[in-house]
Amino acid sequence: MHRFMNGLARNMALLGGIVLTLLILLTCVSVLGRGINTFLHSGLGEALLGGATQTLLDTGVGPILGDYELVEAGIAFAIFAFLPFCQITNGHATVDIFTSKLGVNANKFIQMVVEVVFALVLMLIAWRLYDGMLSKMRYTETTFLLQFPVWWGYAASLAAAVVAALVGVYMAGVRSVEFFTGRRIIAPAGGADH
């Protein structure tokens, strides 16, 4: 079971990384286009390039239409796509000023409670994303520039949030079994300690 959940979390993180990389490239190209467009509209651009400025402007040099809309939907997906991997690898930051002084059993109990609460929060988020998606579908809301349905971004985020919730529930189960049986199934505290 752990191998499957770990693979699912890794694949979701890889997909999130691909989307994030594409969004970075999109943003860079858009900013570059915006800069070139601004330069071509300037007096300096006109003086240096003469009539070529209008030719370049006629090709459509400028920012990518709807770049903000694509980044908004894509970043939301990427964030949810990284959550399962962070959860299964204990990658969340922890502050152990108080808990470092407690015994092993107390720390196992705290970790179990945190995992259960986190799983519940992830399920709540997935549920609310589902409700939001249905609402956007019902009212056929679209983005301003690209006119693509807003629910598409919700659906992508929902898919990643459902995977995050599944991994969260799995980790809550693992930590509960570890606490009640005393066995160690997954090593704790792989995250950044502060």
Side-chain angles (χ1 to χ4, degrees):
M1 181 67 151
H2 184 68
R3 181 177 289 153
F4 172 76
M5 287 295 188
N6 194 34
L8 184 64
R10 282 181 185 278
N11 288 332
M12 187 57 70
L14 285 173
L15 185 57
I18 290 168
V19 169
L20 187 58
T21 302
L22 291 173
L23 291 173
I24 290 167
L25 292 173
L26 170 86
T27 302
C28 290
V29 169
S30 189
V31 168
L32 182 64
R34 187 174 287 116
I36 292 171
N37 185 286
T38 301
F39 172 74
L40 293 175
H41 279 97
S42 71
L44 179 62
E46 188 69 37
L48 291 174
L49 300 174
T53 57
Q54 191 55 48
T55 305
L56 288 170
L57 287 170
D58 289 342
T59 65
V61 172
I64 295 174
L65 179 69
D67 57 345
Y68 290 111
E69 296 170 355
L70 294 171
V71 168
E72 181 181 34
I75 288 293
F77 167 77
I79 289 168
F80 285 111
F82 294 134
L83 274 176
F85 187 68
C86 191
Q87 185 68 15
I88 205 161
T89 59
N90 297 308
H92 300 291
T94 60
V95 180
D96 64 352
I97 293 170
F98 173 71
T99 59
S100 63
K101 307 286 188 248
L102 300 176
V104 174
N105 286 337
N107 277 305
K108 281 184 181 181
F109 177 76
I110 291 170
Q111 191 171 25
M112 177 190 67
V113 170
V114 167
E115 295 284 359
V116 169
V117 170
F118 201 68
L120 292 171
V121 168
L122 288 170
M123 289 188 297
L124 176 66
I125 289 170
W127 168 50
R128 298 313 302 157
L129 274 171
Y130 176 72
D131 265 4
M133 182 188 73
L134 291 180
S135 173
K136 301 300 180 190
M137 289 173 77
R138 188 172 28 256
Y139 295 110
T140 62
E141 188 175 334
T142 60
T143 61
F144 182 70
L145 295 173
L146 295 178
Q147 295 294 304
F148 73 81
V150 173
W151 72 266
W152 290 357
Y154 275 75
S157 295
L158 174 63
V162 166
V163 172
L166 286 172
V167 170
V169 168
Y170 168 73
M171 289 304 294
V174 165
R175 296 303 180 207
S176 296
V177 168
E178 287 179 346
F179 176 72
F180 289 113
T181 65
R183 292 183 350 190
R184 177 58 64 199
I185 299 171
I186 301 173
D193 292 323
H194 299 294

